[in-house]
Amino acid sequence: VLGGHQDSINGYMGGSSARAPGSDDNASGIATITEVVRALVDNSFQPQKTLKFMAYAAEEVGLLGSKEIAKDFKKKAVNVIGVMQLDMTNFKGSNEFDIVLMTDYTNDEQNKFVGAIIDHYVPGIKWGFDQCGYGCSDHASWHTQGYPASMPFEATMDTMNHKIHTANDTLAMSNNNASHAIKFAKMALAYIIELDR
C-alpha cells in the first residue's frame, strides 16, 4: 500500500470558509504518489503482487479514512506486506536530512528496509530518524491494526514546514518547484519494486 491523505485544513478543525491550499500538506504526497504511478505505467511495470495506491479522506480530522480502510482490511484478513505513507514530501526544512523516517507508530524492521533502499537506489540522499510524538498521519491507522507501516517525512519535526494548516501552504514555500519530492518518488518506486519480488 502506498498512500497519502488528500484533504487539507486551515487552523484547528478548519472552517467552511477557510482557505486551505494544502500544497505541502498534502498535495505534495498525493503528487508524489501520482508520479510513482506514472513512472510504473510508462515503464510497463507488471507487478507480481497487488499494489494499492490510496488517497485517504479526513486525515486532518482524525485519520478517519485510513482507520476505516485498515480496520476493514484487518477484518477481512487481507495480507498486506507493507504500507508506506507519503504525507508532506516537498519542503526541505532540514539541512541534516533529506528524508526522515518516523519511528513512532511505524515498524522498525520496515524502517530499516526503507533506509537500505534509500542507500542502494537513491545514493547521496541523507536520511535519519525522528518522532512525531503522536499518531500524526495515516500510517498510524495501519500500525494500530498490526500492519508494517513506515512514514518517510520531508524534515525533522522541528524543521518541518510551519505554514501547513494555513492559507500560506503554497508551492512558494518549496521555492515553486518539486525537486525535494522527487527524492521521495524514487524511494517509493524502489520500495514497491523490492516488495514485489
Side-chain angles (χ1 to χ4, degrees), residues 103-185:
T103 59
D104 45 352
Y105 295 91
T106 61
N107 179 275
D108 185 54
E109 287 302 311
Q110 182 169 278
N111 284 342
K112 291 175 185 172
F113 173 67
V114 173
I117 283 172
I118 295 169
D119 288 341
H120 186 77
Y121 291 104
V122 198
I125 297 298
K126 299 176 291 183
W127 64 275
F129 297 104
D130 199 8
Q131 292 184 11
C132 288
Y134 64 104
C136 60
S137 196
D138 298 298
H139 63 286
S141 299
W142 293 95
H143 176 79
T144 300
Q145 295 302 319
Y147 292 111
S150 291
M151 185 177 127
F153 194 61
E154 65 188 9
T156 58
M157 291 301 286
D158 62 337
T159 62
M160 67 180 273
N161 182 353
H162 293 290
K163 298 294 184 181
I164 66 166
H165 301 174
T166 74
N168 296 316
D169 184 4
T170 65
L171 193 57
M173 290 302 301
S174 297
N175 298 316
N176 291 311
N177 66 63
S179 60
H180 194 56
I182 291 169
K183 302 165 191 172
F184 287 80

Side-chain angles (χ1 to χ4, degrees), residues 60-73:
E60 297 289 9
V61 292
L63 315 180
L64 301 181
S66 61
K67 280 181 183 175
E68 181 80 18
I69 294 168
K71 283 181 184 177
D72 186 58
F73 273 47

Side-chain angles (χ1 to χ4, degrees), residues 31-33 35-36 86 89 180-190:
T32 302
I33 294 166
E35 177 62 11
V36 168
L86 296 180
T89 63
H180 194 56
I182 291 169
K183 302 165 191 172
F184 287 80
K186 290 177 180 178
M187 172 203 57
L189 276 166

Side-chain angles (χ1 to χ4, degrees), residues 6-27:
Q6 63 181 342
D7 59 322
S8 65
I9 198 167
N10 186 332
Y12 179 72
M13 300 304 280
S16 61
S17 63
R19 184 173 175 271
S23 177
D24 193 28
D25 186 18
N26 184 38

Side-chain angles (χ1 to χ4, degrees), residues 77-117:
V78 177
N79 180 28
V80 177
I81 61 172
V83 177
M84 180 176 279
Q85 172 71 6
L86 296 180
D87 187 344
M88 298 172 59
T89 63
N90 200 39
F91 178 80
K92 176 142 176 46
S94 171
N95 289 323
E96 186 178 4
F97 303 120
D98 296 301
I99 296 175
V100 178
L101 298 172
M102 293 300 159
T103 59
D104 45 352
Y105 295 91
T106 61
N107 179 275
D108 185 54
E109 287 302 311
Q110 182 169 278
N111 284 342
K112 291 175 185 172
F113 173 67
V114 173
I117 283 172

